[in-house]
Amino acid sequence: MSEERFGEFVLVRRHGHVAELVLDRPKAMNAVSTEMARSIAAACTALAADRDARVVVLTSSHERAFCVGADLKERNSFGDADLVRQRPVARGAYTGVLELPMPTIAAVHGFALGGGFELALSCDLIVADGTAVLGLPEVSVGVIPGGGGTQLLPRRVGAARAAELIFTARRLEAAEAAGLGLVDLLVEAGRDREEALELAARIAGNSPVGLRAAKRALRLGHGLDLRAGLEVEDAAWRSVAFSGDRAEGVAAFNEKRKPEWPGE
């Protein structure tokens, strides 16, 4: 297992074809400062260009929190001009995770609030343990979810449910979150990282070309009418149909062996 650090607060660990993106600012419960946002974006830029990374798992080094959102202590020192300057930096962190081309999984325990929950929502799948507490409390401090929350949450739970959660700023315990579909896999306390990495390893056994194309079709087709969505799917199919991965997958199936994906 190799490790690479991006700034002081972000670490990337390699587990074969699975990359673990670790939020590592435990003294602040992973509150996202300007520096940390830059580091998340930089790590995502590197991972997006890494053809060896087939799945990314977003984890936390803090025992009691995934991420508590924006660093409000830092924000308290900002004037208007500072806030304007920081906005594209903050957006870069959330869109960096959201736009990763490979499947992504968030491993959540403890608090995932505000921007922390939005980082999880930016992933394709969310694995959470029984200690997880999720919520978007932004309107209680005079702002709105600005890391994708107003757009990603309704895509998971529908417009009315998202409105209720955002307008009330309430926190959800793990069981309720799972019942509403905010969590895809609910696991025993302390097992979120291990279960997410195990799920990632299963996914990573599949074609990297196929995985990226499937994610592209899922993302681009969402919200389109069926006919337009099927055109998006057809374009994604054409991008893989003549790939080395497709040839290897068919050959391995017929030869009853495990495929060795060329990744192209």
Side-chain angles (χ1 to χ4, degrees), residues 205-243:
N206 296 312
S207 157
V209 170
L211 289 171
R212 290 179 181 227
K215 175 165 178 170
R216 193 162 62 249
L218 284 163
R219 285 284 179 89
L220 294 178
H222 187 92
L224 300 179
D225 65 69
L226 180 58
R227 182 172 294 179
L230 290 173
E231 291 304 315
V232 168
E233 181 181 84
D234 186 65
W237 179 86
R238 290 174 186 277
S239 75
V240 302
F242 311 104
S243 68

Side-chain angles (χ1 to χ4, degrees), residues 2-262:
S2 62
E3 294 186 354
E4 181 180 4
R5 185 163 286 281
F6 291 83
E8 185 179 354
F9 304 130
V10 175
L11 179 68
V12 173
R13 294 193 186 105
R14 306 291 177 144
H15 309 267
H17 292 295
V18 175
E20 181 184 3
L21 178 56
V22 186
L23 304 177
D24 188 30
R25 195 187 178 202
K27 291 182 179 179
M29 300 181 83
N30 290 329
V32 181
S33 63
T34 304
E35 180 185 349
M36 188 172 177
R38 285 197 184 97
S39 296
I40 293 170
C44 288
T45 297
L47 288 169
D50 185 352
R51 304 302 296 187
D52 199 47
R54 297 180 187 176
V55 186
V56 172
V57 179
L58 185 59
T59 69
S60 161
S61 65
H62 194 284
E63 292 183 357
R64 293 184 294 106
F66 174 72
C67 172
V68 294
D71 186 341
L72 295 185
K73 289 183 179 179
E74 179 188 60
R75 292 277 180 92
N76 194 45
S77 68
F78 281 2
D80 291 350
D82 299 312
L83 199 58
V84 169
R85 279 193 296 269
Q86 196 218 27
R87 178 59 178 164
V89 178
R91 286 195 70 187
Y94 301 106
T95 58
V97 175
L98 184 65
E99 294 177 0
L100 282 168
M102 68 286 286
T104 52
I105 304 169
V108 177
H109 60 265
F111 297 111
L113 302 173
F117 187 22
E118 288 172 309
L119 285 172
L121 287 170
S122 296
C123 294
D124 299 302
L125 297 169
I126 299 175
V127 175
D129 79 357
T131 71
V133 178
L134 305 96
L136 294 174
E138 283 85 351
V139 297
S140 70
V141 292
V143 291
I144 70 165
T150 65
Q151 306 306 304
L152 295 171
L153 190 59
R155 283 167 166 78
R156 270 191 169 263
V157 299
R161 177 62 69 192
E164 185 263 321
L165 294 173
I166 290 171
F167 294 164
T168 63
R170 71 184 180 93
R171 299 179 178 186
L172 292 85
E173 302 290 334
E176 183 184 3
L180 293 177
L182 288 175
V183 169
D184 302 300
L185 181 61
L186 183 60
V187 301
E188 293 180 6
R191 291 281 302 165
D192 55 293
R193 177 177 177 269
E194 289 77 11
E195 295 278 0
L197 288 172
E198 287 177 14
L199 175 59
R202 292 199 299 275
I203 293 172
N206 296 312
S207 157
V209 170
L211 289 171
R212 290 179 181 227
K215 175 165 178 170
R216 193 162 62 249
L218 284 163
R219 285 284 179 89
L220 294 178
H222 187 92
L224 300 179
D225 65 69
L226 180 58
R227 182 172 294 179
L230 290 173
E231 291 304 315
V232 168
E233 181 181 84
D234 186 65
W237 179 86
R238 290 174 186 277
S239 75
V240 302
F242 311 104
S243 68
D245 273 16
R246 196 276 311 171
E248 169 62 10
V250 172
F253 177 83
N254 284 288
E255 295 166 16
K256 296 182 172 58
R257 61 174 174 80
K258 185 177 179 179
E260 297 181 7
W261 304 114

